[in-house]
């Protein structure tokens, strides 16, 4: 499997893993965003992922291309957070390489990142001076000479994907370890998802529903792991309440990419 | 969407269409063959599909490469029949081009096709002098100077995919028309699948279960379309009996490829 195929497989394996609380999965769509949109993004993103792996172009520019290639459909943003993690991982080859890649990010990367962001409908925090819907943000970035890593540092408090950039991809590393421990295939992905969700508050849920709901979800995920709560019922509850652990999903994708490169087996039927 | 992306999307959209009687779909796996195996094949086949679209190499050789790239997993044969249709369609660009491509097939294409075939576990008819499990078959092909089109002509009575080669892709054309009539997205694919299944006896079912079962499935599909039979119940019955309309699925993939090129919309959320 090439690194780009690993990235595409990571996107496919995350979204088809089932049952998985709250997110689009094999048997659940969201209104307007369907399984097919996620699978299409995994196919359409390939030229941008190839560029990242070949070392062509800046990270911000590649991110903008990945978003441009994958917002052709009507399903809205599917993989923006995942691309933010996958592109430096593809550029660097592994986590230490990705850390070097994000440390080398430039002001130009920050500018193109904002252009990518404005193609999506990802929510920013109200009143943020770097709000992407505010054209003034680009001036602020240039005035302050902020690199893309500086922008991530600015956002890290409220965004676990940004934290990965700033802190050296610790949750990606941790979740890749969970995959190795949890075992092959779909069942391994589901257990890893629950383990990460029970260990870390999902910042996407915080943005959408506030910190109390996010903490409630974290505790309930822990109860599912302990056998004190039914996974299918938890999944139904999350879907009914529109609770979507989207940042956890982004980190799981990055973790699958890493774990596949370390020999984690996506295909249980190949195991002896 | 490039022609190769259309081919990959056709493979993804066919397998995720739901509910679809008998086959692996979004919510059903077969023992040993899972949704992920089909999605992985759509990703891993790309280099072979690119070669077909670029006009590099013979059809038989590309087919062998597609099979080699996609049998890395433990899920068995997923898309052999689909590749037999997609590769000439990619080579020719459209149905008239595919007809020219298959007419230009050579003895060498036939030989490499048999090598591809022997990588799969696809069943041949008992006593066939061109049985792929018999090393003597290759000698027969060379002695008789059979091209790959001649091999398809030999197989056509019992194989609707071979019939497509020999007859100029009539069912691919017909099913692409059904897609345009049935409308966008997953629902359009499901209706097209039922229309083709009710119109044509699936030769894969004939091989596995005999002509009476195949005719029964054809009639029941017609009853589903007429509203006289419940689709979910029919799906469950097919799965319980191990009835898998695999050749119909192959033709649907080719039809989605053609229809996408003619403006059929896979993404209903983009429709105004």
């Amino acid at each position: 499997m090439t690194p780009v195929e690993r990235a595409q497989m990571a996107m496919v394996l995350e979204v088809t893993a089932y049952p998985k609380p709250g997110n689009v999965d094999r048997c659940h769509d969201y209104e307007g965003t369907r399984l097919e949109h996620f699978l299409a993004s995994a196919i359409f993103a390939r030229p941008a992922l190839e560029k990242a792996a070949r070392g062509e172009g800046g990270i911000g520019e590649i991110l903008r291309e990945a978003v441009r290639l994958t917002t052709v459909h009507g399903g809205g943003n599917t993989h923006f957070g995942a691309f933010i993690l996958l592109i430096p991982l593809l550029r660097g080859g592994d986590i230490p390489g990705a850390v070097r890649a994000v440390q080398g990010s430039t002001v130009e990367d920050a500018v193109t990142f904002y252009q990518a962001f404005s193609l999506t409908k990802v929510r920013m925090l109200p009143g943020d001076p770097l709000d992407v819907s505010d054209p003034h943000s680009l001036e602020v970035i240039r005035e302050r000479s902020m690199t893309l890593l500086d922008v991530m540092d600015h956002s890290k408090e409220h965004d676990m994907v940004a934290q990965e950039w700033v802190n050296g991809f610790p949750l990606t590393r941790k979740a890749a370890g969970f995959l190795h421990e949890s075992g092959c295939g779909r069942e391994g992905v589901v257990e890893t998802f629950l383990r990460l969700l029970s260990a870390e508050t999902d910042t996407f849920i915080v943005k959408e529903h506030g910190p109390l709901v996010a903490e409630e979800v974290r505790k309930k995920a822990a109860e599912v792991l302990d056998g004190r709560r039914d996974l299918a019922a938890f999944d139904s509850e999350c879907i009914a309440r529109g609770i979507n652990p989207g940042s956890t999903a982004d980190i799981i994708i990055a973790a699958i990419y890493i774990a596949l490169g370390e020999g984690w087996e996506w295909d249980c039927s190949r195991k002896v």
Side-chain angles (χ1 to χ4, degrees), chain A:
Chain A
M1 216 184 296
T2 66
V4 170
E5 287 169 345
R6 272 162 49 203
Q8 292 183 292
M9 282 298 289
M11 294 163 78
V12 164
L13 294 171
E14 189 285 321
V15 75
T16 53
Y18 174 80
K20 210 177 48 188
N23 285 321
V24 167
D25 65 26
R26 184 170 170 174
C27 294
H28 290 118
D29 295 314
Y30 271 100
E31 180 72 29
T33 306
R34 287 178 156 204
L35 178 67
E36 296 93 304
H37 293 122
F38 284 82
L39 298 173
S41 285
I43 290 174
F44 295 156
R46 198 191 52 80
L49 303 176
E50 294 275 9
K51 267 192 192 171
R54 279 198 307 263
E56 278 172 29
I59 286 183
E61 178 193 332
I62 294 170
L63 197 54
R64 186 179 57 187
E65 186 178 350
V67 172
R68 188 182 57 75
L69 290 168
T70 57
T71 47
V72 291
H73 57 64
N77 173 53
T78 51
H79 289 110
F80 187 61
F83 292 142
I84 293 173
L85 299 172
L86 284 174
I87 288 168
L89 288 168
L90 281 163
R91 172 57 50 92
D94 55 13
I95 288 176
V99 170
R100 286 191 297 275
V102 305
Q103 284 168 349
S105 75
T106 63
V107 176
E108 196 50 36
D109 288 324
V111 170
T112 45
F113 171 82
Y114 270 73
Q115 292 165 345
F117 215 146
S118 67
L119 296 172
T120 73
K121 289 168 188 160
V122 178
R123 269 175 71 172
M124 292 292 284
L125 291 171
D128 192 309
L130 294 173
D131 189 319
V132 285
S133 60
D134 180 357
H136 190 64
S137 300
L138 286 179
E139 287 170 41
V140 175
I141 287 172
R142 291 200 194 274
E143 270 168 30
R144 301 189 194 167
S145 287
M146 292 174 81
T147 68
L148 185 46
L149 183 56
D150 294 331
V151 169
M152 294 295 176
D153 193 62
H154 168 86
S155 310
K156 70 171 187 286
E157 198 187 338
H158 305 291
D159 187 327
M160 67 207 294
V161 170
Q163 285 162 28
E164 289 296 277
W165 267 55
V166 175
N167 299 337
F169 298 82
L171 299 183
T172 299
R173 178 66 268 160
K174 187 180 195 174
F178 289 165
L179 280 168
H180 292 301
E181 291 166 13
S182 298
C184 62
R186 186 191 302 165
E187 293 75 7
V189 175
V190 169
E191 188 177 300
T192 295
F193 194 94
L194 286 168
R195 287 179 72 177
L196 188 62
L197 193 61
S198 68
E200 304 288 334
T201 305
D202 187 287
T203 52
F204 189 77
I205 300 180
V206 175
K207 270 186 224 173
E208 298 280 317
H209 300 274
L212 292 179
V213 171
E215 175 59 12
E216 179 196 338
V217 167
R218 193 195 63 68
K219 280 189 184 154
K220 286 183 173 174
E223 288 167 12
V224 171
L225 274 177
D226 290 350
R228 286 179 291 141
R229 183 175 290 275
D230 180 63
L231 175 53
F234 180 42
D235 183 22
S236 300
E237 183 195 335
C238 287
I239 288 171
R241 294 169 65 187
I243 296 172
N244 167 12
S247 295
T248 302
D250 295 334
I251 289 168
I252 295 292
I253 291 173
I256 297 173
Y257 168 82
I258 289 296
L260 282 171
E262 294 169 342
W264 176 74
E265 185 56 82
W266 65 272
D267 179 12
C268 297
S269 63
R270 199 158 46 181
K271 285 246 164 177
V272 188

